[in-house]
Amino acid sequence: MRRHRHAKIVATVGPASSAPDKLRALFLAGVDTFRLNFSHGVQADHAAVHAAIRALEREVGRPIGILQDLQGPKIRIGTLEGGRLDLVTGETVRFVLDGSDGDRRSIPLHHPEIFAAVVPGQDLLIDDGRVRVRVVGLEAGAIEAEVINGGPISNRKGVNLPGTLLDLSPLTAKDRADLAFGLDLGVDWVALSFVQKPSDVIEARALIGDRAGIMSKIEKPQALERIDDIIRLSDAVMVARGDLGVEIPHEDVPGRQKELIRACRLAVKPVIVATQMLDSMVGAPAPTRAEASDVATAIYDGADAVMLSAESATGLYPVEAVSMMDRIIRSVEGHKLYRSIVAASQPGEEETPPHAVATATAVLAEAVHASAIVTYTTSGTTAARVARKRPAVPILALTPNVATARRLSLLWGTHPVHTDDVDSYEEMTAKAAQHARDEGFAKPNDMIVTTAGIPFHTVGNTNNIRVIQIRPAAGTAVTPIAVRQDFRSVGGMRLALWHRHPDGIDPSSL
């Protein structure tokens, strides 16, 4: 089941989409990876969804990614008398560390790390910034605050502290229990909420190891201060614009989004843009023009994937939302300016042989008008290196590791295939041609370009390129095409690629 687009779609599963028939409809509409939001629901519900997705995967014969999104240390007020308070601009209210069923003088805030970190003059944002209060005094176990922007607050509403580094682990006791559960299920990705510093990722890595990819959600301004280290330690990044847009000025979010996408492309790490992308489709069958433009901007920026949250989890039109996102992506990628815009945002090259070979593969595939690039990859790194170039040619990633195939469902332009490993050069070329035909990427007489690491079974050693012409025969026979091409501009290196060619095929015609 080939997707005719490069960018991927992530959809959150919830009450509107958890039934097996709905999951199937969402996949057919365009979902590549499903997100299980552990901020809601119980473990048994998530296990049922996980089982349904794996059953769907067997039915369609294509790897499907599953992302476990941990709740993280979300800061919330406690319960209020009557369940609600209407705060009036200019009045003074009091937050307390201990207590329940609070009123204006005793709003529960059971987070000692806040009381240890706040200082007079600092703002607290409640309910995604709809209500703002400013600290005017501190006591033992109490905070006096003036209401700057009034409004209603209710039980368990979130609290943000812009610009404050809190002494919090990214993994609460609930998160640790959910993480163990998810890893036992076999999730492909684990998203860490409210990452603030590199040590947060290191802490999670000690628990996760290589059992799942780690995705750092960037939603705290403190994370932006150490973003290069966080990206380096992570396997993927999510631009979580909800909380990030609360803690930094709204006008700064678009620029930060572009910076994060570029940094992830440079580091060869997948990046997802998330939150409120088609938000009006929670209750309407079509998005606003601004929302469609928002999705398009992420695609023009070169994001690997875009994500639906409430639209697919609780909305009235989950399948329509996925279909709309699919249509927007395909429209953007087919636009006459798309290639030039993506090329203009291409990050600098790393001057290493594997990166140079991967870049040369993408350039060569476009030069010979190849139908596909076929990569052999164990960890997914080879495919990711090629995808960083954002070639116009689709990437067919062959891997003997089913976990790698599922994670690659998140990678830009990549069609993952779980297949047996290869042990020889001849087997590699035959299998590349066979899968290119079987998966609908090439037909007889088409060119494909393969890249792999030789010797085989060596992780991260991308060092070989081969051009193949598929014979109009049974499908496994291939014709190697001789190519000699110097790539002096790739990573500061001069690469000469040599192959034999049969009679009647002139390599100069390439």
Side-chain angles (χ1 to χ4, degrees):
M1 294 194 61
R2 178 182 174 184
R3 305 284 194 214
H4 292 278
R5 53 175 160 79
H6 295 295
K8 303 301 181 70
I9 296 175
V10 181
T12 304
V13 180
S17 53
S18 58
D21 61 330
K22 277 292 188 181
L23 293 170
R24 189 177 191 278
L26 290 172
F27 173 81
L28 294 176
V31 174
D32 301 290
T33 294
F34 288 97
R35 171 180 175 246
L36 308 183
N37 185 1
F38 275 68
S39 294
H40 305 285
V42 297
Q43 291 182 351
D45 293 338
H46 293 304
V49 170
H50 184 280
I53 294 171
R54 290 293 177 243
L56 174 64
E57 181 181 66
R58 291 189 293 271
E59 175 192 343
V60 300
R62 171 173 173 160
I64 301 174
I66 299 178
L67 166 64
Q68 178 188 28
D69 197 333
L70 300 176
Q71 177 175 292
K74 181 72 173 178
I75 298 170
R76 301 178 185 275
I77 61 174
T79 58
L80 303 170
E81 185 177 331
R84 168 183 170 131
L85 283 176
D86 290 302
L87 303 188
V88 179
T89 300
E91 73 171 323
T92 299
V93 295
R94 191 168 182 264
F95 296 88
V96 295
L97 182 58
D98 300 313
S100 60
D101 295 332
D103 56 19
R104 281 173 166 72
R105 300 302 301 164
S106 59
I107 300 172
L109 189 59
H110 305 307
H111 295 276
E113 61 277 359
I114 291 183
F115 289 81
V118 297
V119 295
Q122 189 165 19
D123 288 353
L124 306 182
L125 307 181
I126 306 172
D127 191 12
D128 290 337
R130 293 179 177 85
V131 175
R132 179 187 295 264
V133 302
R134 183 164 297 155
V135 177
V136 295
L138 299 171
E139 304 173 15
I143 298 172
E144 294 282 341
E146 178 187 358
V147 179
I148 304 301
N149 298 117
I153 61 173
S154 55
N155 293 342
R156 307 294 299 159
K157 285 298 182 182
V159 179
N160 293 85
L161 285 80
T164 302
L165 180 64
L166 299 176
D167 186 16
L168 286 172
S169 166
L171 298 167
T172 65
K174 176 186 180 328
D175 293 329
R176 290 171 182 268
D178 287 340
L179 175 60
F181 178 78
L183 292 176
D184 287 342
L185 280 180
V187 298
D188 306 301
W189 294 96
V190 175
L192 303 180
S193 297
F194 304 109
V195 171
Q196 297 185 93
K197 52 192 182 300
S199 60
D200 292 343
V201 186
I202 294 172
E203 181 180 343
R205 181 71 70 186
L207 297 173
I208 297 170
D210 60 358
R211 297 176 67 186
I214 295 178
M215 181 180 296
S216 292
K217 294 170 65 177
I218 308 303
E219 47 198 335
K220 300 285 288 183
Q222 292 74 29
L224 297 173
E225 298 172 4
R226 301 288 304 278
I227 192 60
D228 289 338
D229 290 332
I230 289 172
I231 292 174
R232 177 175 54 83
L233 293 166
S234 306
D235 299 305
V237 163
M238 181 189 297
V239 186
R241 303 176 304 175
D243 279 276
L244 183 63
V246 173
E247 299 222 5
I248 69 173
H250 288 68
E251 62 271 20
D252 291 348
V253 174
R256 291 296 194 175
Q257 173 177 309
K258 292 180 184 296
E259 291 172 9
L260 288 167
I261 292 173
R262 183 180 177 84
C264 288
R265 286 181 62 187
L266 178 61
V268 199
K269 302 294 176 71
V271 55
I272 300 174
V273 176
T275 316
Q276 297 179 329
M277 301 215 78
L278 297 176
D279 194 51
S280 64
M281 290 194 74
V282 171
T288 66
R289 277 56 170 182
E291 289 167 343
S293 184
D294 182 39
V295 174
T297 295
I299 305 307
Y300 280 119
D301 287 345
D304 289 85
V306 285
M307 193 178 95
L308 296 167
S309 298
E311 302 96 328
S312 58
T314 60
L316 298 178
Y317 303 95
V319 176
E320 292 83 352
V322 174
S323 297
M324 176 58 67
M325 189 165 268
D326 176 80
R327 285 159 51 195
I328 294 169
I329 296 171
R330 287 189 287 113
S331 177
V332 169
E333 292 179 349
H335 192 267
K336 61 183 179 181
L337 296 180
Y338 171 71
R339 298 303 315 172
S340 61
I341 292 173
V342 169
S345 63
Q346 175 71 25
E349 306 290 350
E350 287 193 24
E351 296 186 2
T352 63
H355 281 290
V357 171
T359 299
T361 300
V363 173
L364 179 59
E366 292 182 345
V368 301
H369 304 291
S371 296
I373 296 169
V374 182
T375 71
Y376 283 85
T377 182
T378 300
S379 65
T381 302
T382 299
R385 286 171 175 155
V386 176
R388 182 179 74 161
K389 188 67 178 176
R390 300 296 189 257
V393 180
I395 303 165
L396 186 61
L398 308 183
T399 178
N401 189 333
V402 66
T404 296
R406 289 166 175 165
R407 291 182 201 176
L408 286 174
S409 64
L410 196 65
L411 184 66
W412 186 96
T414 302
H415 179 94
V417 175
H418 179 222
T419 185
D420 294 334
D421 209 346
V422 294
D423 297 306
S424 69
Y425 209 75
E426 292 71 20
E427 186 182 3
M428 179 192 79
T429 56
K431 185 165 286 190
Q434 182 68 54
H435 282 294
R437 289 172 60 111
D438 291 349
E439 299 292 330
F441 286 85
K443 59 186 184 298
N445 297 318
D446 281 355
M447 301 282 190
I448 62 173
V449 176
T450 67
T451 184
I454 296 177
F456 297 110
H457 320 298
T458 303
V459 176
N461 186 32
T462 310
N463 61 8
N464 180 271
I465 306 174
R466 187 162 186 170
V467 180
I468 298 170
Q469 184 180 46
I470 300 178
R471 286 179 179 162
T476 57
V478 299
T479 302
I481 303 297
V483 177
R484 181 185 179 186
Q485 176 69 55
D486 294 332
F487 293 94
R488 294 185 176 86
S489 63
V490 179
M493 304 178 66
R494 183 178 185 273
L495 304 180
L497 311 178
W498 295 83
H499 296 291
R500 293 173 299 143
H501 66 91
D503 294 338
I505 298 179
D506 181 7
S508 65
S509 66
L510 300 178

